Structures are given as C-alpha cells and as structure tokens.
Amino acid sequence: MHVVSRFRLSNILQPATSFAAVALVLAFIVLTCSQPAEALPAFARKYGLRCSACHESWPMLNYFGQKFKDNGYQLMNDRDAPIWQNPGYWPVTFRIIPLWHRVSTGKVPIDTYTSGNPVPTGSQIQRVTSSGFDLSGLDFHTGGTLEKNFSFYVLPSSDNTASFHFETVMARLDNLFGSPWLNVKLGKFELDNLLSEKRILTLTGNGGIYQLYHFTPLTAAGVPDGNIWGKMGDNQLGAELMGHSWNDRTRYSLALLSTNDGTPGLPYGNAYTGFFAASQALDAGKAGVQRLGVYAMVGQGPTTFLTSGGSPLGSAAIGNKSFSREGFVGQFYYGQHIGVQVVTQHGQDSAWFGQGYGDFVDGVAPNNNTTGTTLPPGSRAPTWNGVLVEPHYIYSPQLIFIGRFETIRMSQQASPGMPSNLGNISTYTIGYRYNPFMTPRAGFAWHNEYNWLHQDGTGPIPGTNINTSELLLGFDFDF
C-alpha cells in the first residue's frame, strides 16, 4: 500500500479497551484541568511571553506567532540580539512522545501451512492488528538570533531508534536594506506552506501528515510512480527570498530548491525545483483575521542516469522531466474559538514518471531510461485533484479539539486501461490535545487521536481496496 507513515496503521479498540481508555482520559482531565497555560520553552525564556501569545495550541502558530517567525524569531526590540540576553540563556528545546497505539491493517497476505510442513503451502488474506507502547523520535530544536537581523534554526532529529539526521539547518538574513519585504534564507528548511506540516497537531501514521503534501500516483503495475521530489511536506535544500508587510497581512516567498527531496550530497545531479507562495489577510472584525493564499511547486526531476562500467551514477542524472503542484489555501476564523483551514491541490507528473522512470533507489536505478528509450503507446501524464479541510475548536489555550478530512482523486491515470479510481485516498482524523501546563521551562500535552484511511485498488487482490486505522494516546512534551 502506498501511504506515508510515521508509526504503524491501526484500528478502533475493542469495547473493553475503549472503556478503559475513556476512563483514563476523564481521570487525567479531572486531575489536571486547574493548571495555568503559559509559553513554549526556548523563545518564552528569552522574551517572557505566555504560550497563548504565539500559539493557538502548541505547536500550531496563531497570527502573532506567524509574524514572529516571519521576522526571523524577533520581536523587533532590543531583546532580539544575543548581546542583550542573559548569559545563561540557551535556546534549546527537546521534544519526544511516549505513547500507546493500536494498529490495524486490512487485507494482508498471510502464509498458510499444512501440518508437519515448515514450508508455506499457500496464503490467505486477513486483517492484522497489533497494539502496545511505543516512542516517537526525538527532536532537538535550537534557533534564534546570532545578532539582530541574523537568525538561524537547527533541528537534529532522530527516529525512535535514535538514528539522527538533520531535519532543518538554515541561516537567514532579515530585513535587508531595512525592509521587511527582503529576507534571504539558505539551507534545509520547511517550504512556506501556509498550513504547516511541521506544526501539525496530529500524530498518527496517516493522520500525522498531510496526505495532500505527499501524494504520489501509481503506475499500471500498482507501485508509486518515479517522482519522489514533489513532496511539499518534506524539508528541502535551497535558498528562499521572502517578505511581508509591516503587519504581516501580506506575505510572499520564492524558493529555488535542489530536486533531491532534502537529501544532501547531490544524489540526483543537476535538477531544480521552484516553490512560490503568497497570501493576504483581511480583518473581519469580531470574526477575526481571515487569510487567503496561493502556492505553486514547479520543477524537474531526472529520468536517466549515466553509467560507468555498466553501473548507474546517481550524481550524473540527466533527462529531466517536469512535475507541478498548485492550489489555494484558506484560514478562516469564527470568533476566538472556531477555525477552519482549507487546502486545494491540482497535481501533475510527466508521463515518464507515470511509467516508473525517475527515482534512483539504494544505489541502483531499475527504471533507468537509456538513450533511445521510448514510452509505451498511450502513455499520459498522471493528474489529480485534492482537498483538505481541517476544523478545530479552541475551548481554551489549554484544550483544543481537532478534525480533518482529506480526499484525493485521480483525474487521469498514467496508462490506458488503468482503473480510473486506482490510488484514490480518503482519510478522516479526529482528536484533542489537553495542556495541563505550559511554562517558560517546559510544556506537556495529553494527546488522543483516531485516524481512518481508505485507498482504492491497492489491496493484494486486484481491484480490492485497503482500509487502515490507528488509535493513539500519548504524552507530548518538550523542555
């Protein structure tokens, strides 16, 4: 099945387990609901702000928090530069999530055996379910200012086995020529998605990402096409020019990226991708500040790899072909408690990617097209359309209820004869986060979430669908 996962997939608890989980949730809320909510640790220690100054619910930013981020983690006062800070201040935050989750995957091929024979004699299709205690990876955030208008962010991040990589490494020049319209960033960073996946409020394997940001169509063989570079949710390597009005109501960003999905070392040769985003906020009075935006990701990725001694060279990739993702974003608020975020997308990959050419995987290029290669008759550029709707209800800065619906529908498959719905996705996520406290030293959230995902035509038997689900309960804390 072609879906991005942070943990495994899961299903609903059986009745007895569900009752115990609900009882635990209610007990936890009763015991902790009287504590005050304050601020995120690293920047809160620097400026002495409350959590609710920058966050609707951490880590999701509010309007003021987005402005603070756009200013290069500055409030534009004398406390911005390190020379004015307490020598004991260290801008570091650790974040990790111990959790329990129940994982259920439908239609898994399972070997069958005959008595006394250790060799499988057949297979059957069944649902596989597991549950238990687990860990997320560890995020080690450090960021802030090196001097006024010189900012940085570094994020070494590990999986749950403590295997580290650099998720973010960037330095930024802020307010060039004294103008907020000119800021330059260089390094590995999140794209300027108005709905940020890096500040997502959900944690399950399929609910903890935005499917729209990672969707890849399928080939006629039922495997992902060769384009791994159009993933808007992944941090990318490149340079960005961004700017905003003094009150942050108008924003834009222009980024030039290496087409490598954030992988260092030039693994794919000479290919580049551009990302553009712009938005405008409007004051709707008591309803709040509403924002509308557009985005476009347009790039090229290789389909041919030069060889040496018959072996493909990953850094010598040529035969670039195009891909694109574009759409609209809206952030709508109805007073202080209700918000709805909407993202639409139209996507397209080259017909070469649709036939499986492209990705250089694990040192081999199984779909390396050579000089003179032609596409099969009738090959087409796969295209699709998708929409994401995420409502939330902020009962207080300590308690937020979250919902999300995403659907992605193919409008054109890569080859004639492919089922028109092959690869379509629908997914639902609901949950809540309760923060019993949030101080300038540490934060804690009791997180409960359920996700269900359906994908057409990806079952082990041709023409069958896959349903997966996950229930997760965890402690999300930083310090």
Side-chain angles (χ1 to χ4, degrees), residues 243-264:
H244 55 91
S245 59
W246 67 271
N247 61 3
D248 214 43
R249 295 292 174 86
T250 305
R251 304 177 66 255
Y252 82 92
S253 70
L254 295 167
L256 180 64
L257 315 167
S258 290
T259 304
N260 54 23
D261 197 40
T263 305

Side-chain angles (χ1 to χ4, degrees), residues 325-349:
R325 318 279 188 263
E326 57 273 340
F328 295 90
V329 184
Q331 293 180 328
F332 308 106
Y333 294 90
Y334 304 91
Q336 297 181 352
H337 297 287
I338 300 175
V340 178
Q341 304 184 98
V342 180
V343 181
T344 69
Q345 184 179 105
H346 174 76
Q348 177 173 296
D349 280 350

Side-chain angles (χ1 to χ4, degrees), residues 217-223 225 349-357 375-383 410-422:
L218 303 181
T219 67
V223 298
D225 81 3
D349 280 350
S350 164
W352 288 92
F353 297 134
Q355 296 304 317
Y357 296 104
L375 290 175
S379 297
R380 301 173 299 195
T383 60
M410 294 299 300
S411 57
Q412 179 171 278
Q413 299 285 7
S415 299
M418 293 176 62
S420 61
N421 65 339
L422 179 64

Side-chain angles (χ1 to χ4, degrees), residues 278-362:
S279 64
Q280 177 65 50
L282 305 170
D283 191 342
K286 292 183 179 180
V289 176
Q290 320 297 319
R291 188 178 287 273
L292 296 171
V294 295
Y295 68 88
M297 186 179 195
V298 181
Q300 293 188 324
T303 60
T304 302
F305 299 88
L306 301 180
T307 61
S308 178
S311 299
L313 300 174
S315 59
I318 58 175
N320 292 338
K321 305 300 179 184
S322 63
F323 62 91
S324 65
R325 318 279 188 263
E326 57 273 340
F328 295 90
V329 184
Q331 293 180 328
F332 308 106
Y333 294 90
Y334 304 91
Q336 297 181 352
H337 297 287
I338 300 175
V340 178
Q341 304 184 98
V342 180
V343 181
T344 69
Q345 184 179 105
H346 174 76
Q348 177 173 296
D349 280 350
S350 164
W352 288 92
F353 297 134
Q355 296 304 317
Y357 296 104
D359 182 25
F360 185 94
V361 181
D362 298 329

Side-chain angles (χ1 to χ4, degrees), residues 185 225 278 306 361 407 439 478:
K185 182 188 301 181
D225 81 3
L306 301 180
V361 181
T407 184
T439 73
D478 63 355

Side-chain angles (χ1 to χ4, degrees), residues 231-251:
K231 298 179 179 179
M232 292 171 44
D234 293 344
N235 286 7
Q236 305 289 339
L237 280 161
E240 180 189 65
L241 171 67
M242 71 86 61
H244 55 91
S245 59
W246 67 271
N247 61 3
D248 214 43
R249 295 292 174 86
T250 305
R251 304 177 66 255

Side-chain angles (χ1 to χ4, degrees), residues 111-122:
D111 291 336
T112 58
Y113 298 84
T114 57
S115 178
N117 185 357
V119 178
T121 56

